[in-house]
């Protein structure tokens, strides 16, 4: 590796430590990265000159006669806009460089791309101006998008045909624009905040089902940007074809939250779903994931059967992913894990379908900000990968 690359890599690692640990001394950073204190001091001096980091108060050192200065990411060095796009709505978030939220905005996702991008560009510029900033204050734009993307085009998940997302935004805003799908953005955010080197990220949320693989701190993509598309693996070939992946009985086409809500609305009645019938005031339009979870946890037989089926199929997908990727650490983000019943069914299925001990750790979170993970993508690609 060239000396310039080593220097750039060390700078990047210093910033990664600050993102995962917060306010830290240069000596502790040196120990963490196995670098000499003089190297860290020199590199931090360059980052201070660039105003990417800032010094804080002096702290007592364990070494007699010395005092240490803590350093941290400079939140005001640049700002970022994170955007989460699905087929129904687009959410925008303005943050500082430490990912502290400043302001939000939501617009509808228009199915006519040109009209949509005009509206999105207007929303971005208004969000920035309303907070006394200009576009030159931004590091760039990070976009978390539903479905398949190669970093420029959205192939499916939002529009019915492939759409170039990056070019119109770059041309209009004159800013760097970085795009990835939602689960990979979440994996990048987990790397940034928790410094994980090897893990599989899985998401089972209203936007869909997916996975991302990080090995040796590198996010893996595959030749077609489709690595770890767990949601579109075949789980029951007796079912119909998925309109997105064109495979028979893929996981997402059977147990997606959208499919769950559609099934419940189709069977909504006093006889079949009495608890939900009462909670939703006999109005099917009031059925949401939260009302389904509430009624299931209250003992609805029909809803518990649905959640049990979904939990079992998702558990099979997790076990299969562990076998295929051979990585111990799994991070799962799932809205349905807010349900005590669903969580119990999932854990029972893991034990039922694999008799041997499941290696490693499975950590579960019930929600995450897609917009914030889009800012993490921006910081990773627009700052960490651009250091000199």
């Amino acid at each position: 590796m060239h000396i310039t690359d080593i220097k750039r890599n060390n700078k990047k690692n210093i910033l990664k430590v600050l993102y995962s640990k917060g306010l830290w001394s240069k000596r502790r950073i040196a120990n963490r990265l196995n670098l000499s204190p003089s190297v860290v001091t020199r590199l931090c001096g360059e980052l201070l000159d660039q105003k990417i980091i800032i010094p804080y108060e002096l702290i007592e050192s364990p070494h007699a006669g010395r005092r240490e200065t803590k350093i941290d990411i400079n939140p005001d060095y640049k700002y970022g806009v994170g955007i989460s796009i699905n087929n129904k709505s687009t959410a925008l978030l303005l943050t500082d460089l430490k990912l502290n939220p400043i302001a939000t905005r939501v617009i509808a996702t228009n199915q006519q791309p040109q009209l949509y991008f005009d509206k999105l560009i207007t929303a971005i510029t208004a969000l920035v101006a309303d907070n006394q900033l200009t576009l030159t204050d931004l590091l760039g734009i990070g976009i978390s998008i539903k479905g398949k993307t190669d970093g420029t085009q959205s192939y499916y998940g939002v529009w019915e045909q492939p759409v170039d997302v990056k070019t119109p935004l770059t041309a209009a805003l004159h800013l760097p624009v970085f795009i990835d799908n939602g689960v990979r953005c979440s994996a990048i955010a987990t790397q940034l905040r928790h410094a994980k080197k090897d893990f599989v990220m899985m998401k089972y949320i209203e936007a869909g089902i997916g996975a991302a693989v990080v090995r040796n701190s590198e996010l893996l993509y595959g030749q077609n940007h489709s690595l770890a598309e767990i949601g579109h693996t075949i789980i029951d070939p007796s079912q119909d074809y998925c309109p997105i992946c064109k495979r028979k009985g893929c996981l997402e086409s059977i147990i997606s939250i959208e499919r769950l809500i559609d099934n419940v609305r189709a069977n909504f009645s006093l006889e079949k779903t009495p608890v939900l019938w009462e909670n939703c005031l006999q109005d099917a339009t009031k059925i949401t994931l939260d009302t389904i979870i509430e009624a299931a946890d209250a003992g609805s037989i029909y809803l518990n059967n649905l959640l049990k089926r979904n939990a079992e199929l998702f558990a099979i997908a997790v076990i299969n992913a562990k076998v295929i990727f051979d990585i111990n650490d799994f991070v799962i983000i799932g809205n349905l894990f807010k349900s005590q019943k669903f969580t119990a069914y999932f854990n029972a299925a893991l034990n039922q379908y694999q008799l041997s001990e499941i290696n490693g750790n499975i950590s579960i979170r019930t929600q995450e900000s897609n917009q914030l993970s889009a800012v993490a993508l921006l910081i990773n690609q627009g700052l960490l990968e651009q250091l000199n």
Side-chain angles (χ1 to χ4, degrees):
M1 184 181 290
H2 192 274
I3 186 66
T4 304
D5 296 325
I6 295 173
K7 177 182 173 182
R8 184 185 299 114
N9 195 54
N10 286 337
K11 276 187 176 181
K12 180 167 67 173
N13 288 334
I14 289 170
L15 293 181
K16 282 184 173 181
V17 169
L18 293 177
Y19 270 111
S20 64
K21 296 296 183 181
L23 200 61
W24 255 34
S25 72
K26 287 179 281 188
R27 182 172 294 278
R28 293 184 73 183
I29 292 171
N31 291 337
R32 176 85 175 188
L33 298 178
N34 292 318
L35 296 173
S36 71
S38 61
V39 167
V40 171
T41 296
R42 184 171 68 253
L43 295 177
C44 284
E46 294 181 13
L47 292 169
L48 283 163
D49 289 342
Q50 294 173 280
K51 297 183 170 53
I52 297 174
I53 63 174
I54 49 178
Y56 279 83
E57 76 279 2
L58 291 171
I59 59 173
E60 294 297 330
S61 169
H63 304 280
R66 293 186 179 182
R67 302 183 77 198
E68 297 178 358
T69 304
K70 286 185 176 181
I71 56 174
D72 201 357
I73 302 292
N74 178 5
D76 300 320
Y77 169 70
K78 287 285 184 178
Y79 299 84
V81 172
I83 302 173
S84 173
I85 303 175
N86 62 45
N87 57 316
K88 296 179 180 178
S89 64
T90 297
L92 294 79
L93 173 67
L94 176 68
T95 78
D96 62 22
L97 200 65
K98 287 191 69 178
L99 294 117
N100 296 310
I102 297 171
T104 61
R105 188 163 296 211
V106 178
I107 63 172
T109 304
N110 194 308
Q111 286 301 304
Q112 298 181 39
Q114 186 56 56
L115 293 176
Y116 169 72
F117 289 122
D118 290 344
K119 189 174 181 180
L120 179 57
I121 290 161
T122 299
I124 294 169
T125 53
L127 179 67
V128 172
D130 288 350
N131 289 278
Q132 291 73 55
L133 298 171
T134 67
L135 292 177
T136 57
D137 294 314
L138 297 183
L139 182 65
I141 308 292
I143 297 177
S144 166
I145 194 164
K146 179 181 178 179
K148 180 181 176 180
T149 178
D150 61 1
T152 297
Q153 292 202 80
S154 165
Y155 288 99
Y156 58 71
V158 179
W159 295 279
E160 294 181 355
Q161 69 284 340
V163 171
D164 185 340
V165 177
K166 184 172 185 173
T167 302
L169 295 179
T170 304
L173 300 170
H174 304 289
L175 287 169
V177 177
F178 303 98
I179 305 168
D180 215 327
N181 69 21
V183 68
R184 287 199 288 260
C185 287
S186 294
I188 290 169
T190 297
Q191 275 187 296
L192 199 62
R193 284 286 180 82
H194 304 290
K196 288 180 176 290
K197 291 185 176 181
D198 298 278
F199 67 97
V200 174
M201 168 72 69
M202 294 186 71
K203 294 180 83 170
Y204 182 11
I205 60 174
E206 294 195 55
I209 303 169
V213 179
V214 175
R215 191 183 293 274
N216 296 325
S217 299
E218 292 294 326
L219 182 61
L220 306 184
Y221 283 84
Q223 292 183 329
N224 300 300
H225 294 266
S226 299
L227 185 78
E229 280 202 350
I230 295 296
H232 293 291
T233 55
I234 296 171
I235 201 79
D236 184 356
S238 69
Q239 299 296 313
D240 204 353
Y241 287 97
C242 169
I244 296 175
C245 68
K246 314 301 182 187
R247 301 185 184 108
K248 278 181 71 67
C250 76
L251 187 69
E252 187 167 305
S253 69
I254 298 172
I255 72 164
S256 72
I257 290 175
E258 182 178 1
R259 181 71 178 269
L260 171 67
I261 293 173
D262 286 344
N263 285 343
V264 173
R265 285 177 176 164
N267 291 276
F268 183 57
S269 67
L270 177 61
E271 294 74 24
K272 220 168 193 180
T273 57
V275 178
L276 193 65
W277 183 264
E278 180 179 345
N279 290 352
C280 293
L281 305 175
Q282 306 173 30
D283 184 355
T285 63
K286 295 183 184 298
I287 295 173
T288 64
L289 182 62
D290 286 337
T291 60
I292 291 172
I293 288 173
E294 182 182 358
D297 285 351
S300 168
I301 296 173
Y302 172 75
L303 295 180
N304 270 272
N305 286 334
L306 279 182
L307 293 193
K308 185 172 184 290
R309 189 275 308 263
N310 285 17
E312 289 175 346
L313 292 179
F314 187 65
I316 291 171
V318 171
I319 292 170
N320 288 341
K322 275 192 162 287
V323 172
I324 292 168
F325 300 122
D326 190 26
I327 292 178
N328 288 339
D329 198 2
F330 269 50
V331 179
I332 298 175
I333 300 172
N335 305 128
L336 275 170
F337 287 99
K338 291 185 288 186
S339 165
Q340 294 179 356
K341 297 288 189 182
F342 180 87
T343 303
Y345 294 140
F346 173 77
N347 289 327
L350 288 179
N351 294 322
Q352 177 185 352
Y353 294 128
Q354 179 168 325
L355 296 179
S356 59
E357 183 178 355
I358 293 177
N359 294 326
N361 178 55
I362 298 177
S363 60
I364 296 173
R365 304 201 295 266
T366 59
Q367 60 185 359
E368 182 184 69
S369 168
N370 288 332
Q371 303 93 276
L372 206 56
S373 64
V375 180
L377 169 70
L378 168 64
I379 289 170
N380 186 67
Q381 300 296 324
L383 176 65
L384 300 183
E385 298 297 335
Q386 305 298 323
L387 292 169
N388 52 39

